[in-house]
Amino acid sequence: ADPACVLKAARLVATCADLPAEAAAEALGCVEEELYEIVHELEAADGGAELLGPSEAPAAAQRLARALSARLRRQGAREAGPGLRGRRRERPPRFSAAELALLRRLSAAHSEWHPIFSDQLAPLAEVGAALSGPLALERGLPDGLPAAELEMRMRYYHEKKVPQLRWMLHQARALLGGRQTAAVPSSDAEPLVIDLGCGKGDFALLLAAAMPQLRVLGIDANADAVTYASERALAAGLTNTCFRVADAASLE
């Protein structure tokens, strides 16, 4: 594979939800984790992954693409072994340049919160226990999916969605803990957390299950998503969370 092709594939993985890394890696004949390293360098660069030509990609991404291309040529474009390509490795969430800038602005606005971008996550066992039974992520999948698509979606859950939720839970605990130790008036009321743009309620439900001392309100403009989130909360017996249909941009 030509380095320019590798960079183009990595760029598409970073910007196009319809091209999973697994499919791109299989087309290139490489291990998925190698492609993710290039994606990470593109996402972390100023300007994100929307770079035009190979010469505009960050130097680290170019070096990785050249090294991967050379290895693929040496192995004669043979497919990576199924044990490697199917191996799942825990990856903390990656952030684009725009997302990093947003996190820095949020951190500046909340002096007691210092976001940790990659290396600290809530325990996997805790998140797995909270998101089980009626709250299991896979319960939202349509029935009758082809085996290949089902595997792709499950991989997305385990390799992207779950690390994101673990990072968010860890950050929420840090922020709430900081506010509890700050000099604020005491109150007997349970702390209220509002999840704007909650979608199907994955994070709001996780927060309510993992931290029952909280009240959690999920808000989303999609009525179908809110209905599904409410049904999940009811099925799980969570009484400290509720969901409402609203446009977050119109709230005051």
Side-chain angles (χ1 to χ4, degrees):
D2 185 85
C5 294
V6 173
L7 283 169
K8 184 175 182 180
R11 223 173 264 120
L12 287 172
V13 168
T15 59
C16 179
D18 294 332
L19 180 63
E22 178 186 16
E26 185 171 1
L28 290 170
C30 67
V31 179
E32 188 178 344
E33 279 74 13
E34 296 173 315
L35 189 61
Y36 263 118
E37 295 302 319
I38 302 173
V39 171
H40 172 51
E41 294 299 335
L42 290 172
E43 289 178 333
D46 288 338
E50 302 291 348
L51 302 165
L52 298 178
S55 62
E56 298 178 5
Q62 291 189 48
R63 286 196 301 272
L64 290 168
R66 286 195 297 268
L68 178 56
S69 298
R71 189 183 64 75
L72 292 176
R73 285 196 296 271
R74 286 196 300 270
Q75 73 178 20
R78 287 177 289 126
E79 287 190 356
L84 286 176
R85 222 175 44 234
R87 181 181 59 193
R88 288 177 178 168
R89 179 167 63 90
E90 180 179 311
R91 279 190 298 269
R94 265 72 181 272
F95 299 94
S96 67
E99 289 168 334
L100 289 171
L102 176 60
L103 285 170
R104 292 189 183 101
R105 290 199 298 272
L106 288 171
S107 179
H110 301 281
S111 58
E112 72 274 22
W113 178 51
H114 303 287
I116 303 164
F117 294 123
S118 62
D119 60 347
Q120 292 196 21
L121 309 177
L124 178 60
E126 178 187 19
V127 173
L131 294 179
S132 60
L135 300 185
L137 297 174
E138 57 268 24
R139 291 176 70 94
L141 292 175
D143 295 330
L145 285 177
E149 185 174 354
L150 178 61
E151 181 181 358
M152 179 188 73
R153 294 202 186 193
M154 292 302 298
R155 182 181 289 268
Y156 166 80
Y157 284 153
H158 290 291
E159 296 187 358
K160 296 192 74 173
K161 187 69 172 181
V162 170
Q164 288 171 356
L165 292 171
R166 293 175 62 195
W167 185 87
M168 292 165 68
L169 179 59
H170 177 79
Q171 297 298 324
R173 280 191 170 133
L175 179 56
L176 291 167
R179 291 196 167 181
Q180 287 174 356
T181 57
V184 296
S186 60
S187 172
D188 294 332
E190 296 172 327
L192 172 64
V193 176
I194 300 177
D195 183 6
L196 297 176
C198 64
K200 295 180 178 180
D202 291 335
F203 178 61
L205 292 166
L206 170 62
L207 197 60
M211 303 181 70
Q213 74 275 20
L214 300 177
R215 293 177 298 140
V216 183
L217 171 61
I219 293 176
D220 200 277
N222 187 318
D224 290 338
V226 168
T227 296
Y228 179 66
S230 299
E231 291 172 349
R232 295 172 73 191
L234 181 63
L238 291 175
T239 60
N240 61 330
T241 183
C242 60
F243 297 89
R244 298 288 183 269
V245 178
D247 183 357
S250 66
L251 298 177
E252 295 183 358

